[in-house]
Amino acid sequence: MIVLKSAEELSVMREAGRITAATLRRVGEAVRPGVTTGELDELAETFIRGEGAVPAFKGYHGFPGTLCTSVDGEVVHGIPGARRLLEGQILSVDCGAIVEGYYGDSAMTFPVGAVAADARRLMDVTRDSLHAGIAKCIPGMRLHDISAAVQSVAEAAGFAVVREYVGHGIGRSMHEDPQVPNYGRAGTGPTLKAGMVFAIEPMINAGGAAVRSLDDGWTVVTEDGGLSAHFEHTVAVTDDGPMILTLE
Ligand code: MG
Ligand code: MG
């Protein structure tokens, strides 16, 4: 069942989203060669708690971090720690915050120093695919209009869409119905209504689509070792069009 949110609920989710976005901006400003992913995680947790919010990921199914930090061929769910970032890498950071029981969820991929043109292009295309999906968050559209829009942008650029991990409804839980795949057929799926809220989150690979999990039980990597990028926003369907909740 897809839970519709009231205007009052959306305003609380907007605050959770604002804090999530502000955290990601601060983390992005701290990304540089030599910093550890653990230092970024500490910065994020301190900021979120200082805003009176709660890190959404810490302890979620036992996840140890406030952030997921995924480097280069890591797709999602990388565990922050002692790893030191190197010039030319790309770092995907996923972050969530809880305010009054409501969740915000957003992700971005950052360059570490100067990166190669192909890495830059992968990040740009992944961000563009997210915004193509967001543009479909209008009452009367169908859920897989979002999916198809994301997929077409990614594949037109020659990149591959990860199948095993998808976006999701979000509200009083981080993961609610429905699943929001980053691939699918336009004109299918549930009809969108004002008050639906989705975390749309394309994970796009430079090489093949296949992924696997590492022995740490969390980190998902590309099977072929190619780069992967991840951008995510929490977005409400409203009568005035798409409303991105995870903005400052
Ligand atoms: Mg996320
Ligand atoms: Mg998510």
Side-chain angles (χ1 to χ4, degrees):
M1 188 188 64
I2 305 177
V3 181
L4 301 182
K5 280 79 182 179
S6 67
E8 292 71 24
E9 289 177 295
L10 288 184
S11 76
V12 179
M13 291 189 75
R14 181 74 186 84
E15 177 63 5
R18 182 193 68 75
I19 292 168
T20 302
T23 308
L24 275 176
R25 179 173 60 76
R26 282 168 168 75
V27 168
E29 288 166 358
V31 169
R32 63 176 67 88
V35 75
T36 70
T37 53
E39 287 163 351
L40 299 175
D41 192 69
E42 192 176 320
L43 179 164
E45 180 171 4
T46 301
F47 178 75
I48 290 171
R49 294 197 191 282
E51 292 289 299
V54 176
F57 299 172
K58 194 153 187 153
Y60 186 81
H61 294 290
F63 189 79
T66 289
L67 304 175
C68 297
T69 52
S70 307
V71 180
D72 284 346
E74 297 174 352
V75 180
V76 285
H77 303 164
I79 300 171
R83 183 171 188 171
R84 231 169 254 294
L85 297 176
L86 303 173
E87 178 94 20
Q89 290 178 327
I90 61 173
L91 173 71
S92 296
V93 179
D94 199 342
C95 181
I98 310 168
V99 172
E100 296 174 31
Y102 288 88
Y103 284 73
D105 188 7
S106 184
M108 280 183 202
T109 302
F110 299 105
V112 182
V115 302
D118 60 341
R120 171 63 68 184
R121 183 166 163 270
L122 176 67
M123 292 190 286
D124 289 346
V125 167
T126 305
R127 186 192 297 103
D128 289 349
S129 75
L130 168 61
H131 286 280
I134 290 171
K136 304 295 183 184
C137 290
I138 294 170
M141 300 294 282
R142 307 286 287 273
L143 183 70
H144 298 152
D145 292 336
I146 300 171
S147 311
V150 170
Q151 180 178 19
S152 71
V153 170
E155 292 184 350
F159 297 136
V161 173
V162 172
R163 299 309 206 257
E164 287 84 346
Y165 299 87
V166 297
H168 48 93
I170 181 169
R172 282 193 163 282
S173 302
M174 187 150 63
H175 297 111
E176 295 184 350
D177 286 341
Q179 292 199 342
V180 185
N182 297 303
Y183 56 92
R185 203 151 53 83
T188 68
T191 300
L192 303 188
K193 296 191 177 93
M196 290 181 176
V197 183
F198 306 123
I200 304 172
E201 51 177 315
M203 288 146 268
I204 306 298
N205 295 349
V211 300
R212 65 186 171 88
S213 293
L214 296 186
D215 289 341
D216 64 17
W218 283 106
T219 312
V220 176
V221 300
T222 56
E223 189 71 58
D224 61 12
L227 294 179
S228 189
H230 181 204
F231 283 82
E232 177 181 28
H233 274 305
T234 299
V235 183
V237 178
T238 83
D239 289 324
D240 298 324
M243 179 197 286
I244 301 177
L245 302 178
T246 38
L247 291 176
E248 282 192 74

